[in-house]
């Protein structure tokens, strides 16, 4: 679509305002570069102010330059500037710093210095391979369980809830009214050794007489499922809600029994929601450490716990950064084939 | 038990060699306190183009949906080709529907949309492929098989919906206002197209519409519905010439309706308030009634200067209050001496035109004078 628009837009010689805009953008970029790289002459402008000013100038310059080059109809690009600046400042730059840190060596006391120490990565992986595997195992199981719970729930709310629809949606969102930490702490009480859940399960013989719920993998996974369930439910609900009821009538009219109609119409049309929901659950779940900390033991620790302790307890920044990067890249490596397989059209539709 | 009754009826009808495509027997549908369809009896013959015509809320769509299996009747029996299907699910009926919004599957290509029904019935792939191509050809969409519905225009989508239903060779095809979303020109084209396809495939079409012109253009038989009941059923010309109810007289075309006194019911002699004598040769006058309502279509009335000889028998004097020239005809609004407002359409054949204020004679023949029942004004302006 946008390609057509670009191809179809007329390329005329630049008008006077366009030339002015272009000149302005060049000036802004130059000023930005000067601020960023400039020498001692700018010593009075320091630190954060200088960095922020440089970025603002660069983004503004690039944005207005784009508008000037592409023509007036591209004014919409200006809308990207605030968001773009935000992302550069608080996402790209920290990422770059993290990348740099991951290759440094040293200690906090002696200072870190760049050493292109790739062994940080191999060390991160060889030492904490178990936690990595466990993270993805727990996150994967939690995502699957959340999907199994959320899909029927979303289906019911979208198709059968009638006038209770809004009430049920509010109930799905209700846990957000309680802070994440408190919610997880509350689960500690629910799953406690002398709690009613454990007691009932013991009475039913589902767990052994001396068995526990708390401090087990089950507790950690259950906590993750609970905490991320709304992120799974809402996107699925939204895509199910959009399914036109007459499509199901049409399927039925064309001899599809209810199960077939679901498989051939409802499910494919709700897939964008399923893709969005699984990503919104899997990604944060893989990096989560709160559930493992509160509901598990070190034997249940996930990679999030390791990163947290490396950064804040051991103060081994390079390895912590390498771990963070590895986690991120692993998630990307998992997601790209998943999104490809489910179709980019699906994501666009979501 | 109902199945036994159904098959008995089938046997009976087979003996007569005449099984109607659709039968509704005393069908009622209530939604809460609202009666959408009220004790309806309807028989639709084999290979007909049948139109259910009526204003919105008259129950025509509910009737169609019950036939398709999307609603269960509150009471009554529905038969398709003699077999009772009253409470059968849609996927168990050999009926297909063209939905108002087309309801094309947005995630499937045109070809897979059209193939959907055959796939459910386990037709083999080669056969499906052949029939899809053939069907797309029939609706003039050959070469569109790989497009997605959102890449098509409204008229093309409409034809895909039609192909998707027809490919299953249903015994009855239900069409729920299928042309409603199209612009006027396309709608006219599709009316002719639908009619062509119907005669080509020889399947019974039941077409729901609120557009009287569309119904008259396409249908062999029209059922005019009002408030959950069928007010009039018949061939378009019959209904137009003798609407029988004031609702039908106004809903199907325009009519001039007036209250008259009955002088002699058997010979059809009537009188207006001022004593002007009128005649009707149509049926519908009940013996013993002192008054009746009669109607005449606007284009059946001739206008002439007062004193002109050789005019049709029913003649009343009136003043022209408005004249609108619309090319093929001129539309006059008249007020008669007794206060009746008449709407007259005169073809622009004669040079004689009238202007507002002219006193004229409006005359029409007794055979164009029909008798109606019901409130005058019903169905007007719909």
């Amino acid at each position: 679509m946008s390609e057509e628009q670009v191809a179809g837009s007329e390329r005329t010689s630049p008008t006077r305002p366009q030339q002015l805009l272009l000149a302005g953008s060049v000036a802004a970029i130059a000023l930005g570069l000067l601020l960023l790289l400039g020498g001692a002459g700018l010593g009075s402008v320091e630190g954060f102010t200088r960095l922020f000013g440089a970025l603002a100038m660069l983004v503004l310059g690039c944005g207005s330059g784009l508008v000037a080059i592409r023509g007036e109809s591209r004014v919409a690009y200006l809308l990207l500037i605030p968001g773009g600046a935000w992302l550069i400042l608080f996402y790209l730059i920290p990422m770059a710093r993290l990348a740099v840190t991951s290759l440094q060596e040293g200690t906090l006391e002696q200072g870190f210095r760049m050493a292109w120490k790739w062994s940080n990565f191999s060390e991160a992986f060889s030492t904490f391979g178990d936690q990595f595997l466990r993270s993805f195992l727990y996150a994967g199981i939690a995502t699957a369980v959340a999907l199994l719970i959320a899909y029927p729930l979303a289906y019911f709310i979208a198709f059968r809830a009638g006038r209770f629809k809004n009430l049920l949606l509010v109930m799905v969102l209700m846990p957000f009214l309680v802070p994440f930490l408190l919610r997880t702490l509350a689960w500690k009480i629910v799953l406690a050794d002398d709690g009613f859940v454990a007691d009932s399960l013991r009475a039913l013989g589902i767990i052994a007489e001396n068995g526990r719920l708390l401090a087990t993998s089950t507790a950690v996974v259950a906590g993750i499922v609970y905490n991320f369930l709304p992120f799974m439910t809402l996107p699925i609900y939204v895509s199910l809600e959009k399914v036109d009821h007459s499509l199901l009538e049409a399927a039925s009219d064309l001899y599809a029994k209810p199960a077939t109609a679901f498989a051939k119409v409802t499910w494919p049309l709700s897939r964008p929601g399923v893709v969005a929901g699984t990503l919104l659950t899997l990604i944060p779940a893989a990096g989560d450490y709160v559930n493992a900390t509160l509901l598990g033991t070190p034997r249940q620790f996930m990679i999030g716990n390791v990163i947290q302790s490396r950064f804040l307890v051991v103060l081994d920044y390079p390895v912590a950064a390498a771990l963070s990067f590895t986690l991120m890249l692993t998630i990307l490596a998992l997601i790209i084939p998943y999104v490809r397989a489910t179709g980019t059209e699906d994501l666009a539709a979501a | 038990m109902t199945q036994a009754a159904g098959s008995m009826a089938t046997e009976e009808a087979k003996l007569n060699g005449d099984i109607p495509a659709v039968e509704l027997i005393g069908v009622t549908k209530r939604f809460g306190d609202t009666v959408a369809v009220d004790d309806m009896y309807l028989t639709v013959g084999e290979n007909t183009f049948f139109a259910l015509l009526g204003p919105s809320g008259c129950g025509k769509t509910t009737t169609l949906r019950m036939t398709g299996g999307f609603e269960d009747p509150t009471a009554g029996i529905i038969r398709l080709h003699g077999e009772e299907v009253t409470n059968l699910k849609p996927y168990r009926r050999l009926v297909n529907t063209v939905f108002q919004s087309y309801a094309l599957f947005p995630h499937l290509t045109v070809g897979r949309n059209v193939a959907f029904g055959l796939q459910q019935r386990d037709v083999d792939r080669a056969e499906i492929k052949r029939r899809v191509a053939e069907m797309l050809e029939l609706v003039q969409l050959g070469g569109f098989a790989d497009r997605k519905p959102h890449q098509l225009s409204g008229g093309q989508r409409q034809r895909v919906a039609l192909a998707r239903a027809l490919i299953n060779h249903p015994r009855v095809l239900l069409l729920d206002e299928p042309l409603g979303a199209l612009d006027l020109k396309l709608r006219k084209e599709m009316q002719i197209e639908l009619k062509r396809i119907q005669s080509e495939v020889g399947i019974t079409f039941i077409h729901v519409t609120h557009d009287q012109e569309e119904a008259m253009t396409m249908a062999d038989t029209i059922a005019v519905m009002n408030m959950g009941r069928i007010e009039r059923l018949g061939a378009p010309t019959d209904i137009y010439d003798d609407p029988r109810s004031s609702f039908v007289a106004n809903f199907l075309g325009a009519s001039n309706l007036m209250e008259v006194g009955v002088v002699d019911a058997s010979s059809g002699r009537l009188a207006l308030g001022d004593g002007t004598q009128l005649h009707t040769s149509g049926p519908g006058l009940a013996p013993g009634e002192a008054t009746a309502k009669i109607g005449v279509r606007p284009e059946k009335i001739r206008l002439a200067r007062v004193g002109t000889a050789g005019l049709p028998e029913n003649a009343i004097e009136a003043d022209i209050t408005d004249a609108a020239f619309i090319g093929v005809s001129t539309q006059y609004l008249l007020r008669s001496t007794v206060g009746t407002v008449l709407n007259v359409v005169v073809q622009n054949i004669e040079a004689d035109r009238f202007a507002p204020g002219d006193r004229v004679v409006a005359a029409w023949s007794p055979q164009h004078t029909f008798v109606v029942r019901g409130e005058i004004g019903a169905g007007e302006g719909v």
Side-chain angles (χ1 to χ4, degrees):
Chain A
M1 193 73 182
S2 61
E3 279 169 14
E4 279 171 28
Q5 283 173 354
V6 172
S9 68
E10 285 170 40
R11 302 273 173 153
T12 50
S13 56
T15 57
R16 183 139 188 86
Q18 267 176 303
Q19 287 168 352
L20 283 174
L21 202 60
L22 197 62
S25 87
V26 171
I29 292 173
L31 186 60
L33 288 175
L34 192 68
L35 277 172
L36 199 64
L37 311 167
L42 286 159
S44 56
V45 193
E46 260 317 321
F48 188 76
T49 323
R50 185 167 154 187
L51 186 67
F52 188 81
L55 281 168
M57 281 299 153
L58 282 177
V59 172
L60 194 71
C62 293
S64 55
L66 209 57
V67 174
I69 293 164
R70 293 286 192 86
E72 275 159 289
S73 67
R74 304 293 154 194
V75 168
Y77 282 109
L78 287 170
L79 299 175
L80 285 176
I81 289 176
W86 185 265
L87 277 179
I88 290 172
L89 200 57
F90 295 113
Y91 181 73
L92 281 185
I93 290 181
M95 285 283 280
R97 282 216 52 186
L98 200 65
V100 169
T101 308
S102 72
L103 297 171
Q104 288 177 335
E105 65 175 11
T107 63
L108 194 61
E109 292 79 32
Q110 298 162 355
F112 297 104
R113 57 187 181 282
M114 192 59 185
W116 298 105
K117 199 179 168 200
W118 293 99
S119 61
N120 282 342
F121 280 87
S122 51
E123 190 196 323
F125 215 80
S126 59
T127 319
F128 303 108
D130 284 354
Q131 282 85 346
F132 259 111
L133 273 181
R134 196 178 294 131
S135 283
F136 285 101
L137 187 68
Y138 284 4
I141 295 173
T143 304
V145 174
L147 179 62
L148 285 177
I149 298 173
Y151 199 98
L153 178 65
Y155 186 93
F156 180 85
I157 298 174
F159 290 132
R160 297 285 143 82
R163 62 203 173 90
F164 296 109
K165 192 181 268 187
N166 287 336
L167 181 71
L168 287 170
L169 280 175
V170 169
M171 284 173 69
V172 168
L173 287 172
M174 203 81 99
F176 286 139
L177 298 180
V178 178
F180 183 64
L181 270 176
L182 276 187
R183 269 185 277 150
T184 315
L185 279 168
W187 264 63
K188 251 183 125 126
I189 299 165
V190 173
L191 299 179
D193 290 340
D194 52 355
F196 72 96
V197 180
D199 280 346
S200 325
L201 290 178
R202 262 182 226 119
L204 289 168
I206 293 172
I207 59 175
E209 208 46 51
N210 58 353
R212 318 182 55 183
L213 280 178
L214 202 60
T216 62
S217 317
T218 316
V220 177
V221 171
I224 296 174
V225 170
Y226 165 71
N227 277 313
F228 293 104
L229 198 57
F231 294 111
M232 184 66 95
T233 312
L234 289 178
I236 297 177
Y237 165 78
V238 169
S239 59
L240 281 172
E241 169 79 286
K242 281 193 295 190
V243 174
D244 182 355
H245 192 72
S246 69
L247 294 179
L248 299 179
E249 290 193 341
S252 180
D253 187 68
L254 297 165
Y255 318 114
K257 296 189 180 77
T260 320
F262 174 80
K264 297 196 106 181
V265 180
T266 314
W267 172 255
L269 289 175
S270 66
R271 244 179 28 193
V274 172
V275 172
T278 47
L279 292 182
L280 284 177
T281 308
L282 185 79
I283 296 171
D288 181 75
Y289 68 94
V290 173
N291 287 284
T293 309
L294 296 179
L295 304 175
T297 66
R299 272 182 297 137
Q300 277 80 38
F301 273 7
M302 298 162 71
I303 199 64
N305 300 83
V306 177
I307 296 174
Q308 189 250 2
S309 79
R310 284 282 126 182
F311 260 124
L312 302 178
V313 184
V314 186
L315 304 177
D316 182 1
Y317 292 170
V319 170
L323 280 168
S324 303
F325 244 83
T326 314
L327 176 65
M328 212 155 50
L329 293 175
T330 318
I331 290 175
L332 263 180
L334 284 173
I335 282 170
I336 289 170
Y338 175 64
V339 171
R340 286 229 165 157
T342 49
T344 40
E345 234 174 274
D346 282 356
L347 263 193
Chain B
M1 204 188 95
T2 45
Q3 267 183 352
S7 63
M8 255 171 63
T10 317
E11 293 309 313
E12 205 177 301
K14 271 181 187 158
L15 287 178
N16 299 337
D18 176 31
I19 313 172
V22 178
E23 285 171 283
L24 302 188
I25 302 156
V27 170
T28 298
K29 178 68 186 180
R30 285 192 204 92
F31 295 104
D33 291 339
T34 323
V35 182
V37 175
D38 190 5
D39 195 27
M40 179 184 286
Y41 288 80
L42 175 65
T43 304
V44 181
E46 189 65 77
N47 194 10
T48 48
F49 201 127
F50 188 92
L52 275 172
L53 173 69
S56 58
C58 72
K60 57 190 192 300
T61 296
T62 306
T63 306
L64 193 84
R65 289 176 59 81
M66 287 192 290
T67 313
F70 306 113
E71 306 278 356
D72 283 333
T74 314
I77 291 173
I78 299 172
R79 289 201 193 120
L80 294 174
H81 284 251
E83 281 168 49
E84 183 178 341
V85 298
T86 313
N87 294 307
L88 277 192
K89 295 288 175 203
Y91 51 88
R92 300 205 188 283
R93 302 186 188 205
L94 290 178
V95 168
N96 290 110
T97 308
V98 176
F99 292 87
Q100 186 167 15
S101 56
Y102 314 143
L104 298 181
F105 304 121
H107 57 301
L108 300 181
T109 61
V110 167
R112 294 191 58 190
N113 262 283
V114 176
F116 198 94
L118 294 182
Q119 280 169 352
Q120 303 319 307
R121 293 200 295 178
D122 297 325
V123 179
D124 72 68
R125 294 176 76 111
E127 167 81 358
I128 291 179
K129 208 175 162 199
R130 188 183 62 73
R131 276 167 70 177
V132 166
E134 191 182 285
M135 194 47 68
L136 286 177
E137 218 49 65
L138 178 78
V139 297
Q140 301 174 348
L141 284 176
F144 282 72
D146 293 327
R147 304 254 186 118
K148 285 280 186 76
H150 68 87
Q151 296 168 306
L152 303 181
S153 71
Q156 290 168 336
R157 274 181 227 177
Q158 207 276 330
R159 293 206 290 264
V160 175
L162 189 65
R164 185 178 70 173
L166 279 177
I167 196 169
N168 305 295
H169 296 313
R171 288 177 176 172
V172 179
L173 183 74
L174 307 175
L175 302 110
D176 186 6
E177 306 241 8
L179 309 180
L182 305 180
D183 63 51
L184 186 66
K185 188 167 169 291
L186 202 54
R187 198 153 68 220
K188 298 269 178 214
E189 282 171 25
M190 281 307 295
Q191 286 175 6
I192 298 164
E193 183 77 2
L194 270 179
K195 185 76 190 147
R196 171 186 74 82
I197 290 170
Q198 194 269 332
S199 55
E200 212 163 296
V201 296
I203 290 171
T204 301
F205 278 30
I206 300 184
H207 180 114
V208 158
T209 179
H210 64 269
D211 182 338
Q212 45 105 5
E213 210 179 296
E214 188 175 299
M216 287 198 280
T217 314
M218 300 202 286
D220 310 318
T221 311
I222 296 177
V224 184
M225 285 188 69
N226 184 30
M227 300 173 72
R229 289 172 170 278
I230 293 179
E231 288 249 351
R232 183 83 166 90
L233 186 142
T237 48
D238 294 349
I239 300 182
Y240 187 81
D241 290 340
D242 185 14
R244 302 222 183 130
S245 82
S246 52
F247 174 82
V248 178
N250 282 321
F251 191 77
L252 200 76
S255 293
N256 295 297
L257 299 182
M258 47 202 122
E259 292 255 13
V260 292
V262 178
V263 179
D264 178 22
S266 57
S267 65
R269 280 173 57 208
L270 312 160
L272 278 174
D274 65 346
T276 312
Q277 295 282 310
L278 296 175
H279 272 81
T280 174
S281 60
L285 280 182
E289 274 180 335
T291 62
K293 295 177 190 101
I294 59 164
V296 59
R297 296 292 188 180
E299 75 283 2
K300 300 290 194 323
I301 299 176
R302 265 186 69 187
L303 295 185
R305 309 253 169 226
V306 178
T308 312
L311 288 175
E313 197 175 337
N314 292 337
I316 56 178
E317 277 193 25
D319 295 317
I320 307 258
T321 56
D322 192 31
F325 176 76
I326 35 178
V328 288
S329 60
T330 304
Q331 211 163 11
Y332 293 102
L333 218 54
L334 284 71
R335 180 175 289 277
S336 80
T337 42
V338 286
T340 315
V341 174
L342 288 179
N343 188 349
V344 180
V345 174
V346 180
Q347 292 237 315
N348 293 322
I349 301 170
E350 289 154 45
D352 216 6
R353 294 221 185 97
F354 303 97
D358 288 356
R359 166 66 54 104
V360 294
V361 176
W364 67 93
S365 101
Q367 76 191 63
H368 293 141
T369 312
F370 51 80
V371 180
V372 297
R373 314 233 148 236
E375 286 299 308
I376 285 182
E380 231 166 350
V382 189

